[in-house]
């Protein structure tokens, strides 16, 4: 019986050693050129393309009525090819059309006719047939794998904390709320409180999961749902976390260069990810040094002012690629951030920037619950709403530090993408909740 599901090979596996063998390939028709007695087909699967030669009245008739992008299973013999880019080709014996596409399609997935990102997102699954688009998501997958390997090698264990929560994790207003049986529940803004609590027993944890933020931001770098790599570690200070995150990002850049050079070529037109991170340590500037640098550029800011996009862009011109900004004013940081012991106006905190784009935020955490209570009140938050969290601090809480890395933003920098939507399969923003 002919099996119409299982293929014998992926497209990229066909080579001269298979000449004369009968193989089957499953994929979609990218191109078809009928020259009368025969037709040339280009069949694509996730690994690449195959040239196929179709002959015979029935097969040619079937092909005539089959639109491009339809799913086919072809089988036949491998033979040497004279075509440019194809050392071998498939002489088709059996052509099965398994699923016909409609014509015309909403977008051209070959990329020959370009569509705006919004139109592409409306037909995202089809958009992914464009090898350049699919490549971004292969890189994403590999980057996640490398991050996990890197953190495991540093004794972190992976955890999963709930995304349906009963009270705010970060404080502030940007929470999505919804009815939950007889209660009100929220979508987690971050795993901040859980990951901190877990250090009292598990020592070093990381979580890769979604953050939900009801932020009314319309930019190329904000989504309402995005993926973060959160890490938290007992008995480490914030500069240790800066070392760790620097190593993780270096591992990702070097790992992608090593493991994915051909995919990188598709995405970035270069076989290597171009970031300064390969060569040297990432610059570490204090917030106050940033103010001085900005003042030299003619931008006068007072201590305590936040750094605007424009200021960060200026700093990004001076410090190409990644750079840290550390020791922010305490009042600019969330309630759980620890003050510097030598100056309580400053915090043990850091952001990792890539130009104007903030990639990571983290710091040493306050582990004295009375100080956390005072900070909550200072920030207009009610400690009673955090009682479930605060009780863990009475069970023996080690000093700890951690950070959250915006994974989608990291992928933007690694793939030279200007819009976060390019590196997220089904982005969620203020306007888009489908598909
Ligand atoms: P923060 O709020 O800075 O820190 O978030 C961590 C990182 O997440 C990314 N990010 C975003 N990415 C896409 N769309 C958004 N709307 C968005 N908002 C933030 C950024 C940012 O650096 N609990 C702390 C982390 C910690 O201290 O461990 C936190 O949530 O890259």
């Amino acid at each position: 019986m002919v099996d119409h599901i299982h293929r014998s090979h992926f497209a990229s596996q066909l080579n001269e050693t298979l000449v004369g063998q009968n193989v089957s390939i499953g994929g979609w028709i990218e191109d078809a050129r009928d020259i009368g007695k025969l037709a040339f087909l280009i069949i694509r699967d996730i690994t690449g393309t195959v040239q196929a030669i179709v002959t015979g009245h029935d097969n040619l008739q079937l092909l005539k009525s089959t639109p491009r992008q339809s799913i086919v299973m072809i089988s036949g013999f491998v033979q040497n090819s004279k075509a440019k880019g194809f050392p071998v080709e498939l002489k088709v014996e059996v052509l099965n059309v398994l699923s016909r596409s409609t014509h015309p399609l909403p977008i051209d997935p070959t990329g020959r006719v370009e569509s705006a990102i919004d139109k592409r997102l409306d037909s995202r699954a089809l958009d992914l047939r464009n090898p350049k688009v699919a490549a971004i998501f292969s890189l994403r997958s590999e980057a996640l794998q490398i991050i996990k390997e890197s953190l495991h090698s540093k004794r972190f264990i992976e955890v999963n904390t709930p995304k349906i929560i009963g009270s705010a994790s970060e404080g502030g207003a940007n929470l999505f709320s919804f009815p939950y049986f007889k209660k009100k529940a929220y979508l987690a803004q971050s795993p901040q409180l859980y990951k901190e609590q877990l250090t009292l027993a598990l020592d070093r944890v990381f979580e890769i999961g979604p953050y939900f933020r009801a932020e009314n931001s319309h930019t190329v770098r904000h989504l309402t749902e995005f993926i973060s790599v959160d890490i938290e570690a007992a008995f480490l200070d914030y500069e240790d976390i800066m070392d760790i995150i620097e190593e993780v990002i270096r591992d990702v850049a070097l790992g992608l260069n090593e493991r994915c050079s051909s995919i990188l070529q598709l995405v970035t037109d270069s076989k290597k990810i171009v970031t300064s991170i390969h060569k040297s340590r990432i610059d570490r500037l204090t917030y106050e040094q940033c103010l001085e640098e900005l003042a030299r550029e003619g931008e006068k800011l007072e201590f305590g002012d936040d750094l605007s996009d424009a200021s960060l862009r200026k700093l990004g011109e001076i410090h190409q690629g990644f750079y840290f900004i550390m020791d922010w004013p305490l009042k600019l940081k969330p309630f759980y951030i620890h003050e510097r012991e030598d100056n309580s106006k400053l915090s043990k905190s850091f952001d990792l920037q890539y130009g104007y784009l903030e990639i990571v935020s983290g710091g040493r955490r306050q582990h004295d619950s009375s100080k956390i209570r005072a900070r909550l009140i200072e920030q207009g938050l009610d400690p009673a709403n955090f009682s479930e969290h605060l009780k863990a601090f009475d069970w023996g809480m080690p000093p700890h530090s951690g950070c959250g890395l915006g994974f989608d933003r990291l992928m933007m920098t690694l793939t030279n993408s200007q819009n976060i939507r390019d590196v997220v399969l089904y982005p969620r923003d203020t306007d888009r909740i489908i598909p």
Side-chain angles (χ1 to χ4, degrees):
M1 220 176 73
V2 184
D3 180 343
H4 296 324
I5 292 188
H6 299 108
R7 54 189 151 204
S8 65
H9 294 80
F10 281 100
S12 65
Q13 289 174 316
L14 297 197
N15 59 37
E16 284 97 334
T17 64
L18 295 170
V19 169
Q21 280 194 35
N22 195 306
V23 300
S24 55
I25 298 282
W28 55 90
I29 302 174
E30 186 167 275
D31 226 339
R33 197 157 47 93
D34 191 337
I35 56 164
K37 285 212 168 75
L38 55 88
F40 292 101
L41 279 188
I42 302 294
I43 306 294
R44 185 178 282 283
D45 67 16
I46 184 62
T47 66
T49 49
V50 169
Q51 168 156 280
I53 314 294
V54 179
T55 52
H57 178 264
D58 290 354
N59 277 347
L60 288 170
Q61 281 308 108
L62 177 59
L63 203 55
K64 271 199 175 77
S65 62
T66 307
R68 290 178 193 193
Q69 299 298 323
S70 296
I71 289 287
V72 294
M73 174 75 83
I74 51 171
S75 53
F77 290 92
V78 179
Q79 59 185 30
N80 287 310
S81 170
K82 292 197 189 87
K84 212 173 142 218
F86 294 104
V88 293
E89 62 195 14
L90 194 64
K91 171 93 176 37
V92 176
E93 301 276 308
V94 184
L95 165 69
N96 274 301
V97 178
L98 303 183
S99 170
R100 300 166 65 82
S101 64
T102 56
H103 183 77
L105 288 166
I107 54 169
D108 172 16
T110 65
R112 273 179 226 132
V113 183
E114 285 191 12
S115 298
I117 181 77
D118 256 322
K119 202 164 172 215
R120 288 173 40 212
L121 290 174
D122 287 339
S123 310
R124 187 54 138 173
L126 183 60
D127 182 44
L128 291 165
R129 283 198 176 162
N130 181 334
K132 225 174 159 165
V133 180
I136 290 178
F137 294 94
S138 296
L139 290 177
R140 240 188 107 104
S141 166
E142 198 64 45
L144 284 173
Q145 178 66 20
I146 297 168
I147 289 173
K148 289 183 184 195
E149 289 167 16
S150 180
L151 289 171
H152 279 296
S153 77
K154 298 172 181 30
R155 303 187 70 103
F156 284 83
I157 65 164
E158 186 168 8
V159 297
N160 302 101
T161 64
K163 303 303 155 213
I164 299 177
I165 55 171
S167 64
S169 25
E170 296 276 337
N174 53 9
L175 271 171
F176 286 111
S177 63
F178 58 95
Y180 188 76
F181 306 104
K182 289 184 177 150
K183 297 194 176 95
K184 187 172 175 183
Y186 306 93
L187 290 176
Q189 294 155 302
S190 85
Q192 184 65 35
L193 308 187
Y194 292 108
K195 67 175 181 169
E196 283 196 51
Q197 291 171 29
L198 292 174
T199 63
L200 76 81
L202 300 179
D203 202 277
R204 292 185 187 185
V205 294
F206 76 97
E207 174 163 12
I208 302 177
Y211 277 31
F212 300 95
R213 301 261 167 106
E215 270 174 301
N216 198 5
S217 304
H218 303 260
T219 76
V220 289
R221 67 182 192 283
H222 286 95
L223 294 177
T224 49
E225 176 179 350
F226 58 95
I227 297 298
S228 151
V229 178
D230 266 86
I231 72 175
E232 202 67 29
F235 303 108
L236 289 184
D237 211 335
Y238 71 135
E239 291 187 68
D240 304 314
I241 299 293
M242 292 164 75
D243 291 342
I244 288 174
I245 209 69
E246 183 167 345
E247 274 177 42
V248 168
I249 293 178
R250 181 173 293 115
D251 285 349
V252 172
L254 295 177
L256 291 181
N257 280 344
E258 210 176 283
R259 300 181 196 183
C260 307
S261 66
S262 57
I263 307 179
L264 275 173
Q265 176 115 43
L266 261 182
V267 176
T268 64
D269 292 328
S270 154
K271 285 199 172 167
K272 286 215 173 334
I273 286 179
V274 192
T275 66
S276 53
I277 195 162
H278 302 118
K279 294 174 224 128
S280 52
R281 259 169 70 93
I282 297 178
D283 285 350
R284 296 184 178 193
L285 311 168
T286 64
Y287 166 85
E288 287 172 298
Q289 281 170 332
C290 291
L291 293 194
E292 283 163 22
E293 286 190 355
L294 289 168
R296 280 200 291 276
E297 299 289 315
E299 195 177 330
K300 279 250 169 289
L301 292 176
E302 298 294 325
F303 178 88
D305 288 344
D306 208 348
L307 303 183
S308 65
D309 269 9
S311 309
L312 291 167
R313 276 180 206 275
K314 267 194 194 131
L315 289 169
E317 278 163 27
I318 306 170
H319 304 276
Q320 298 279 313
F322 292 103
Y323 60 99
F324 284 107
I325 305 178
M326 57 197 286
D327 300 350
W328 289 78
L330 187 64
K331 71 166 194 175
L332 290 180
K333 286 291 164 183
F335 67 88
Y336 48 79
I337 292 285
H338 204 290
E339 73 283 357
R340 274 190 70 96
E341 289 89 353
D342 57 353
N343 180 350
S344 61
K345 285 200 164 30
L346 293 177
S347 64
K348 294 189 131 185
S349 63
F350 67 89
D351 285 358
L352 176 67
Q353 296 288 138
Y354 189 90
Y356 81 106
L357 193 63
E358 179 196 311
I359 310 288
V360 183
S361 181
R364 168 82 174 271
R365 319 307 188 180
Q366 192 57 260
H367 67 283
D368 172 338
S369 62
S370 60
K371 285 192 180 165
I372 301 176
R373 278 194 183 84
R375 291 270 291 139
L376 281 166
I377 293 167
E378 228 174 83
Q379 299 201 345
L381 297 165
D382 182 358
N385 293 336
F386 292 82
S387 56
E388 271 306 306
H389 176 55
L390 290 170
K391 76 183 188 201
F393 287 73
D394 297 332
W395 300 333
M397 180 62 82
H400 57 280
S401 304
C403 68
L405 174 152
F407 181 66
D408 311 299
R409 290 189 183 178
L410 177 67
M411 288 313 300
M412 283 174 75
T413 68
L414 297 177
T415 58
N416 296 334
S417 301
Q418 301 309 315
N419 190 335
I420 194 166
R421 290 159 188 80
D422 281 322
V423 301
V424 174
L425 279 177
Y426 296 101
R428 293 290 177 254
D429 58 31
T430 48
D431 297 321
R432 182 179 285 280
I433 43 173
I434 50 165

